[in-house]
Amino acid sequence: MVTEQRPRLSRGQILDAAVARADRDGIEAVTMRSVATDLGVEAMSLYHHVANKAELLDGMVEVVLDAINVAVGPVTANSPAEWKPVLRSRILTARGVLLTHPWAPALIGSRSPMTLSIIAYFDSIIGLLRLGGFSYDLTHHAMHALGSRALGFTQELFQPMSEEHEREGAATLATMADRFPNIAGMLAEDPGHDDQSATLGWCDDQSEFEFGLDLVLDGLERLRS
């Protein structure tokens, strides 16, 4: 009797399954056991390819960064004047990848390894700035000014609240409007985030992201000139 053999498991399959699980159920749902279940294997089978959950999470970040590099492709700018529109387009393309993996920004911010994928991505940005006429010193400042925006997201100033706590906070502020009129006035005018599909994190929606990105790029253009 011939038994059907299961295709051999690979590290890439494991990481892809973990990313798919996070996309579907959130990063909290990713465990060695849950990924093994999705692959139809025992959890112990995964340890031949990833040593532990920390390595699994690092690998997931690498999958997303690889996808970003594929999406942005090689730099196509040919003249110094193109540095800003090309860089803006590449950053928004990176953001488009992250919007398909809304868990990724927080994970990227919590992992530290400088992998070839992240080095390649930032090297292309530095190359664009250099093409635009930036000195290495001004390029260094530019990279700090861009921060996480270079990858397509902004880091949260505050931790997101649950809907219940957000309602409670808004109610509390409403009772103190006379004491804090500027915050109360701003919140009263805030239209909120209607398009949740273009949001990464608590307060990082597309319009706010592009507003901040354009401020930085326009400021860098003035310094370059």
Side-chain angles (χ1 to χ4, degrees), residues 4 16-17 24 30 36 41 48 83-84 93 98 124 163 168-169 191 207-208 210-211 215-217 219 224:
E4 183 179 346
D16 288 343
R24 185 174 66 250
V30 176
V41 299
H48 296 293
W83 79 269
K84 188 165 73 167
T93 297
L98 292 180
S124 70
E163 288 187 14
E168 290 175 357
S207 61
E208 287 177 353
E210 293 190 32
F211 179 82
L215 279 180
V216 174
L217 295 180
R224 183 192 72 92

Side-chain angles (χ1 to χ4, degrees), residues 62-222:
E62 191 71 358
V63 168
V64 174
L65 293 174
D66 283 342
I68 287 174
N69 281 325
V70 169
V72 299
V75 174
T76 56
N78 296 308
S79 70
E82 293 181 76
W83 79 269
K84 188 165 73 167
V86 171
L87 179 55
R88 187 181 193 275
S89 175
R90 290 173 74 82
I91 289 174
L92 293 180
T93 297
R95 180 177 177 82
V97 173
L98 292 180
L99 285 169
T100 67
H101 307 293
W103 48 269
L107 192 58
I108 290 171
S110 68
R111 316 310 293 177
S112 58
M114 286 295 289
T115 63
L116 288 178
S117 296
I118 195 74
I119 292 171
Y121 180 79
F122 282 116
D123 186 74
S124 70
I125 291 180
I126 292 170
L128 263 174
L129 293 171
R130 293 287 291 158
L131 175 66
F134 287 74
S135 66
Y136 277 120
D137 182 59
L138 186 52
T139 296
H140 189 164
H141 290 306
M143 297 302 290
H144 279 288
L146 284 167
S148 67
R149 276 194 179 88
L151 273 170
F153 69 97
T154 54
Q155 291 181 317
E156 303 287 5
L157 182 60
F158 303 107
Q159 290 297 315
M161 297 182 290
S162 66
E163 288 187 14
E164 180 182 353
H165 286 160
E166 194 168 349
R167 287 194 298 269
E168 290 175 357
T172 300
L173 280 173
T175 65
M176 298 189 291
D178 292 340
R179 185 177 176 186
F180 305 114
N182 298 306
I183 291 179
M186 183 183 70
L187 292 177
E189 296 273 335
D190 185 5
H193 308 314
D194 295 329
D195 185 5
Q196 292 299 315
S197 67
T199 299
L200 286 172
W202 183 32
C203 244
D204 175 14
D205 75 357
Q206 191 71 18
S207 61
E208 287 177 353
F209 179 83
E210 293 190 32
F211 179 82
L213 176 62
D214 288 335
L215 279 180
V216 174
L217 295 180
D218 289 347
L220 292 174
E221 173 64 23
R222 287 194 295 272

